[in-house]
């Protein structure tokens, strides 16, 4: 149960109850994007793609960020990713899990009808979609768990062990120097999507 579960149940017009939008008299399309805190997004990518799956489903990410070593630490992963971003000017050649989000969905280049931060919850997205389409959306997984993974029981066990996957935990526990590295690499995301800059704390 995570944000992927929440979205895939509406992956077609039919599943979303918007079949009528496919005809010539359909209402105007809306454009929106959902973003995530750069630090927790990067940590989640490392935890899932490298730490858990050993890079098996993202070989380009494993080689570019960890030099092919599936046992690389998060700090090593951050160094590899930030170097990749510095040396590769073509966003299409950077794995989408670590690409700068504002390069993928630049709010300055496109007039989005909505820009939502996943940390703010799914209610705001459901409300906007209801307003735009007059269709009720309910972002739940097949097991009835809320889409945002930090809130469901199964994932809670993982995130209790790795609290930095949550934005508040990340800001509280992730070493300050690591946060600064991430902030420098993803500064446009912090600025464009309103995320707080790193702040040194005693708990880090």
């Amino acid at each position: 149960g995570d944000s992927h579960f929440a979205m895939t149940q509406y992956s077609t017009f039919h599943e979303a109850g918007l079949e009528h939008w496919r005809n010539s008299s359909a209402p105007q399309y809306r454009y929106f994007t959902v973003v995530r805190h750069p630090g927790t997004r990067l940590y989640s990518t490392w935890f899932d793609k490298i730490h858990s799956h050993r890079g098996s489903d993202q070989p380009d990410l494993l080689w570019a960020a960890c030099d092919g070593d599936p046992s690389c630490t998060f700090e090593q992963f951050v160094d590899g990713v930030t170097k990749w971003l510095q040396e590769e000017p073509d966003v299409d050649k950077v794995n989408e899990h670590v690409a700068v989000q504002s390069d993928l969905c630049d709010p300055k280049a496109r007039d989005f009808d909505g820009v939502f931060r996943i940390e703010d919850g799914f209610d705001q997205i459901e409300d906007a979609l209801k307003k735009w389409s007059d269709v009720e959306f309910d972002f739940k997984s097949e097991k009835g768990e809320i889409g945002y993974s930090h809130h469901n029981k199964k994932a809670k066990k993982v995130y209790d062990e790795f609290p930095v996957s949550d934005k508040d935990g990340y800001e509280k526990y992730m070493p300050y120097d690591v946060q600064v590295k991430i902030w420098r690499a993803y500064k446009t995301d912090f600025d464009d999507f309103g995320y707080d800059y790193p702040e040194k704390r005693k708990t880090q």
Side-chain angles (χ1 to χ4, degrees), residues 146-180:
I146 293 176
Y148 186 32
S149 60
H150 298 200
H151 295 171
N152 70 55
K153 294 179 181 179
K154 183 177 179 181
K156 206 68 165 127
K157 296 177 182 179
V158 173
Y159 292 107
D160 282 346
E161 184 177 356
F162 297 95
V164 294
S165 293
D166 176 81
K167 184 180 77 70
D168 293 338
Y170 169 86
E171 293 174 343
K172 185 176 181 180
Y173 297 116
M174 181 63 70
Y176 177 71
D177 62 327
V178 177
Q179 290 195 41
V180 170

Side-chain angles (χ1 to χ4, degrees), residues 107-159:
K108 296 174 183 175
R110 162 167 273 177
D111 186 18
F112 285 102
D113 295 292
V115 176
F116 306 103
R117 303 188 309 181
I118 199 170
E119 296 83 10
D120 297 331
F122 277 95
D123 287 348
Q124 58 173 338
I125 307 175
E126 292 175 357
D127 291 344
L129 293 176
K130 165 67 175 175
K131 179 181 178 181
W132 296 335
S133 67
D134 202 31
V135 173
E136 294 283 353
F137 285 76
D138 181 18
F139 290 114
K140 300 271 194 309
S141 75
E142 294 174 345
K143 296 181 180 179
E145 297 172 331
I146 293 176
Y148 186 32
S149 60
H150 298 200
H151 295 171
N152 70 55
K153 294 179 181 179
K154 183 177 179 181
K156 206 68 165 127
K157 296 177 182 179
V158 173
Y159 292 107

Side-chain angles (χ1 to χ4, degrees), residues 42-58:
L42 207 59
Y43 185 87
S44 178
T45 297
W46 168 82
F47 182 84
D48 181 49
K49 305 303 180 187
I50 307 299
H51 177 73
S52 296
H53 293 137
R54 315 289 288 175
S56 61
D57 62 341
Q58 302 290 330

Side-chain angles (χ1 to χ4, degrees), residues 53 83 85 98 105 124 139 176 182 184:
H53 293 137
K83 182 181 179 183
L85 293 175
V98 298
C105 48
Q124 58 173 338
F139 290 114
Y176 177 71
I182 295 171
R184 285 174 177 159

